[in-house]
Amino acid sequence: MTDDVSQNIFKSNYESHKKGWSYSMIKIYKYGEVPNDEIFARVTPAVDVAGIVSDIIGNVKENGDSALVDYTERFDGVKLQSLAVSPEEIEEALAQVEPQFLEILEKAAKNIRKFHERQVRNSFIINDEDGIVIGQKIIPVDRAGLYVPGGTAAYPSTVLMDAIPAKIAGCREVVMVTPPMKNGKINPVILAAAKIAGIDRIFKVGGAQAIAALAYGTESVPKVDKIVGPGNAFVAEAKKQVFGQVSIDMIAGPSEILIIADGKTNPRHAAADLLSQAEHDKLASAVLVTNCMELAKAVQAELEVQIPLLSRHEIARASIDNNGKIIVANDISKVIDIANELAPEHLELLLDNPFDYLDRIRHAGSIFMGRNCPEALGDYFAGPNHTLPTSGTARFSSPLSVDDFIKKTQYTYYTKEALARVGHDVAFFAEKEGLSAHAKSAVIRLED
């Protein structure tokens, strides 16, 4: 450890004590000391979230808007006169957002559109046998519902990431719900992003009650076909409970990042990237896996330099102390195996030749390649979506995309002659399954 690093640690700790902050250093483990299934925190709610959410959903189904107004007053401290955001409120919000940020939002939206436009699927027709036409139609869902969190932070990036794929898919209407601020209005940057993304209708409601409103409809909030977007444990549980009534994107858990780094990595960069996720939530998990003990110790020290400087230092501190880990393995090959087993939401490869490892990575929500690609690029600007599978679900699910806002319908056409060629085969198959009516529906046409 260099003298400069040591001095920075001392200064950080001294300033922390002066301000009354407590601190403890992230733990370093050798490979194998922590079971792989315990590397990321898997959090079980301490309260009966399911029961509370069930009651909220039932109330919204029965009482509609009045339940939404009551919950908004109870949970957000706001007595609403109208749930809907008016065009005047949107224009007022645009005037409050600095032009530089509006320009950045436009640039980000352009990148997101460029990426997601490549995801558009095409319908197809197969007509290579006489008298037979089969095909598949790609049809967007009619109405998409977007949940955008409020509370401790505003996330205009979520607005862009959720709305733009829905628009590209061709949804007839895109509806957004988000909690109001204490003044009864929506954060101006959220409304600015909604305007840029082309969202059709916006409502001032959050929490499980907003999910219930989207799923079942109220006097003001229309019923949707698909609900997407992140939220707290109550929002996630509500999405789980309404699934089947509507489609959902995923059940999102606390944010995760796994960083794979070697001895050439700048410890300041690795620490900053860990904290980029730790500041999200006290339940977030930030994990570094490296083949270099010196890097592990340097990152451990650098975290203590950077945490006190963060605006959300208390959240980051709790995340790092409770869920953060540094694991030292013998070689990068073992680290790749860990990554595939964990299937992390965010995976960073702080390596010289990241493309050498890309084909070996099978399970990750989003991969950030090389030493100059912090996860924040993906959160805001690069173009790939930042709504990602968590809690190991990247083993079988994918980032939010245009595919989330479409459905597929297939069709079949046979002429009489074409059916005659295969009708007895169909009947024979049906009889093998014991379904004689199925068989009869084919052969009866051959008899006429």
Side-chain angles (χ1 to χ4, degrees), residues 14-29:
Y14 174 71
E15 294 296 331
S16 297
H17 281 302
K18 278 176 52 178
K19 295 180 180 180
W21 293 333
S22 63
Y23 66 94
S24 61
M25 301 182 85
I26 191 172
K27 292 182 180 178
I28 298 175
Y29 302 88

Side-chain angles (χ1 to χ4, degrees), residues 44-87:
T44 302
V47 297
D48 181 17
V49 173
I52 295 170
V53 167
S54 179
D55 290 343
I56 290 172
I57 291 173
N59 189 12
V60 173
K61 286 173 65 177
E62 181 176 352
N63 297 303
D65 280 0
S66 65
L68 298 181
V69 171
D70 288 345
Y71 284 129
T72 303
E73 184 173 12
R74 186 191 312 178
F75 298 142
D76 300 308
V78 178
K79 181 71 172 179
L80 294 175
Q81 300 301 316
S82 172
L83 292 169
V85 174
S86 68

Side-chain angles (χ1 to χ4, degrees), residues 409-422:
T409 297
Q410 57 195 27
Y411 57 89
T412 305
Y413 170 80
Y414 273 58
T415 63
K416 184 175 183 179
E417 294 75 17
L419 177 61
R421 296 197 299 268
V422 301

Side-chain angles (χ1 to χ4, degrees), residues 98-291:
E98 58 268 41
Q100 181 184 1
F101 187 58
L102 290 175
E103 183 179 345
I104 292 171
L105 284 174
E106 293 281 9
K107 289 178 181 178
K110 180 180 178 181
N111 292 340
I112 295 165
R113 289 191 186 97
K114 180 171 68 174
F115 180 84
H116 289 80
E117 282 169 353
R118 297 294 293 269
Q119 297 174 337
V120 174
R121 292 175 179 262
N122 294 315
S123 301
F124 63 81
I125 299 174
I126 301 174
N127 185 17
D128 55 6
E129 294 186 53
D130 290 342
I132 300 174
V133 179
I134 56 178
Q136 178 175 278
K137 290 177 60 179
I138 302 296
I139 307 169
V141 300
D142 284 342
R143 183 179 286 132
L146 316 182
Y147 185 90
V148 177
T152 58
Y155 299 110
S157 57
T158 296
V159 179
L160 300 180
M161 294 290 182
D162 289 357
I164 289 174
K167 283 293 185 177
I168 291 172
C171 297
R172 292 181 178 178
E173 188 173 37
V174 178
V175 178
M176 185 178 88
V177 293
T178 188
M181 300 186 296
K182 295 299 182 183
N183 61 5
K185 298 182 179 181
I186 303 300
N187 191 302
V189 298
I190 295 293
L191 294 184
K195 179 74 172 180
I196 289 169
I199 289 173
D200 299 292
R201 300 168 71 183
I202 306 169
F203 296 91
K204 306 172 186 178
V205 59
Q209 60 271 26
I211 301 300
L214 291 174
Y216 295 98
T218 70
E219 299 92 328
S220 298
V221 182
K223 177 182 176 180
V224 304
D225 304 300
K226 179 94 180 199
I227 300 174
V228 305
N232 62 20
F234 294 91
V235 170
E237 176 63 29
K239 289 169 68 177
K240 181 178 180 181
Q241 291 191 23
V242 301
F243 176 66
Q245 174 69 23
V246 295
S247 177
I248 63 172
D249 52 351
M250 63 188 75
I251 307 296
S255 188
E256 307 162 348
I257 188 168
L258 179 68
I259 297 176
I260 295 175
D262 60 17
K264 298 179 184 179
T265 300
N266 187 323
R268 295 176 64 243
H269 298 176
D273 293 356
L274 290 171
L275 292 173
S276 73
Q277 293 308 294
E279 73 171 350
H280 265 302
D281 188 336
K282 292 179 180 180
L283 302 179
S285 296
V287 177
L288 169 68
V289 187
T290 179
N291 60 346

